[in-house]
Amino acid sequence: MSYKMPQWDDAASAIHNAQTILVVSHISPDGDAIGSLLGMTTTLKALGKTVVGAIDDEIPNYLAFVPQSDTIVQTVNDEFDLMISVDASDEERTGNVGDYGRAHSKTVINLDHHPTNTGFGDIHLVVPTAVSACEIVFDLINHMGLDMSEDTAYVLLVGMVTDTLGFRVDSTTARTLAVAQALMEKNAPLPQVIGRTLNSKDYENVKLWKAVYPSVQLDDQVIYGTITLKDVESAGLDKVYDGGLVSHLITVNQARVSVVFKEQLNNQVEISFRSKKGYDVGSLAFSLGGGGHTQASGCTVNGTLDEVKARVLPMAHQVVTEG
């Protein structure tokens, strides 16, 4: 895919000229979605803007500790001068709040780091070389010459830590660590962030894994598992969340690609992909209407679990063959 050069000046001008601003991120939010959204909202509020941060879904329990996460709303009904979409590769990923925002905002900024970004919006800050959307928010703040509060540094570090799995993914560079150091110099607590994200899990997720593990299979370097709605209910969870299972499965030495199929209501299946270096699951997810990174991606597909598995597993094996 080809991308426009990041339009830093246009984005800065749009922000300065706007008074009412909506910031949205993707459904099923992760640490980078929450961190980049709150990094923007805290910065914009300090500029005296009227700001709303919105995501369709509630904040996951493991991210409830993030400063000001309780300010994020699930619905919006105002008019806005500007909408900023963060960490979402396409319009559908922004859910209902994104649909509303695009229809009720004069200008839309697309801020993202996914290689599969579809190029929606009026102003583009799409930087596929960035390890997280939080890194792009950091660069935008610096480009505008703005002060960074301690809370802003904190939430941006949350996004960087979670999207890099503690600076362990292949896209981590010396520059990544330099940005993290700059955030720590603003009193962002790295050990606390790691402890409360990567090294934290609710017991309900352990119960879910216990129910799901019998479904896990390794087939010719593709490892996969299935989460049913019954599994979720028996674990005492109110929504389908794999608790990092797909990332756990890719650590198996014999696996090159990991897949977790998560049954949803309305005859849909949410799929998460992970891969080892040299195996492209980003293109696989994109071909199924989703998106993400080369080694971490996802999508939602219509059909029953059996139908979707029969369709997708051969494609996962093809990724291994071509890798």
Side-chain angles (χ1 to χ4, degrees), residues 115-133:
T116 54
N117 190 280
T118 57
F120 64 92
D122 306 300
I123 299 171
H124 299 107
L125 296 178
V126 180
V127 186
T129 56
V131 297
S132 66

Side-chain angles (χ1 to χ4, degrees), residues 44-304:
L44 297 171
K45 288 174 182 177
L47 287 176
K49 309 294 183 180
T50 301
V51 186
V52 176
I55 298 176
D56 272 15
D57 297 326
E58 294 182 357
I59 308 304
N61 288 338
Y62 79 100
L63 292 172
F65 76 94
V66 178
Q68 302 196 38
S69 59
D70 59 347
T71 65
I72 300 175
V73 300
Q74 278 76 57
T75 59
V76 287
N77 52 19
D78 299 315
E79 300 292 323
F80 300 94
D81 297 324
L82 176 66
M83 171 179 144
I84 305 176
S85 172
V86 297
D87 197 38
S89 59
D90 57 75
E91 293 172 309
E92 184 176 354
R93 288 282 287 162
T94 60
N96 293 328
V97 294
D99 288 342
Y100 180 92
R102 285 184 294 275
H104 295 269
S105 302
K106 298 174 183 176
T107 305
V108 175
I109 294 176
N110 176 357
L111 185 156
D112 186 37
H113 70 123
H114 294 100
T116 54
N117 190 280
T118 57
F120 64 92
D122 306 300
I123 299 171
H124 299 107
L125 296 178
V126 180
V127 186
T129 56
V131 297
S132 66
C134 284
E135 182 180 337
I136 304 171
V137 174
F138 174 89
D139 288 338
L140 178 59
I141 292 171
N142 286 335
H143 180 85
M144 296 178 66
L146 304 176
D147 292 330
M148 183 179 297
S149 69
E150 186 172 319
D151 274 358
T152 300
Y154 193 129
V155 299
L156 294 182
L157 189 61
V158 168
M160 293 192 68
V161 165
T162 53
D163 247 29
T164 63
L165 299 179
F167 309 106
R168 290 179 293 163
V169 298
D170 289 332
S171 56
T172 301
T173 65
R175 205 270 168 160
T176 309
L177 300 179
V179 173
Q181 179 180 342
L183 298 175
M184 293 177 68
E185 290 171 352
K186 293 287 186 179
N187 294 322
L190 179 61
Q192 180 179 339
V193 169
I194 291 177
R196 301 194 70 168
T197 55
L198 304 183
N199 297 333
S200 175
K201 194 179 302 295
D202 290 333
Y203 179 61
E204 286 75 14
N205 288 124
V206 176
K207 291 171 65 178
L208 179 63
W209 283 24
K210 181 180 178 181
V212 171
Y213 251 115
S215 75
V216 173
Q217 297 185 51
L218 177 67
D219 179 16
D220 195 18
Q221 302 182 84
V222 174
I223 191 168
Y224 61 94
T226 303
I227 300 177
T228 68
L229 291 172
K230 183 178 179 180
D231 293 333
V232 175
E233 182 181 1
S234 65
L237 295 168
D238 57 4
K239 64 178 297 185
V240 181
Y241 170 63
D242 73 6
L245 178 61
V246 70
S247 296
H248 176 66
L249 293 180
I250 197 59
T251 63
V252 172
N253 290 334
Q254 295 88 343
R256 296 295 175 265
V257 171
S258 67
V259 189
V260 171
F261 298 91
K262 293 166 279 188
E263 184 181 26
Q264 307 286 322
L265 297 172
N266 303 318
N267 198 43
Q268 290 187 318
V269 178
E270 183 180 337
I271 311 172
S272 296
F273 300 102
R274 296 293 184 272
S275 67
K276 290 192 167 78
K277 186 176 181 179
Y279 300 87
D280 181 9
V281 291
S283 296
L284 169 56
F286 187 73
S287 71
L288 292 167
H293 304 283
T294 301
Q295 293 180 255
S297 63
C299 60
T300 299
V301 177
N302 292 325
T304 66

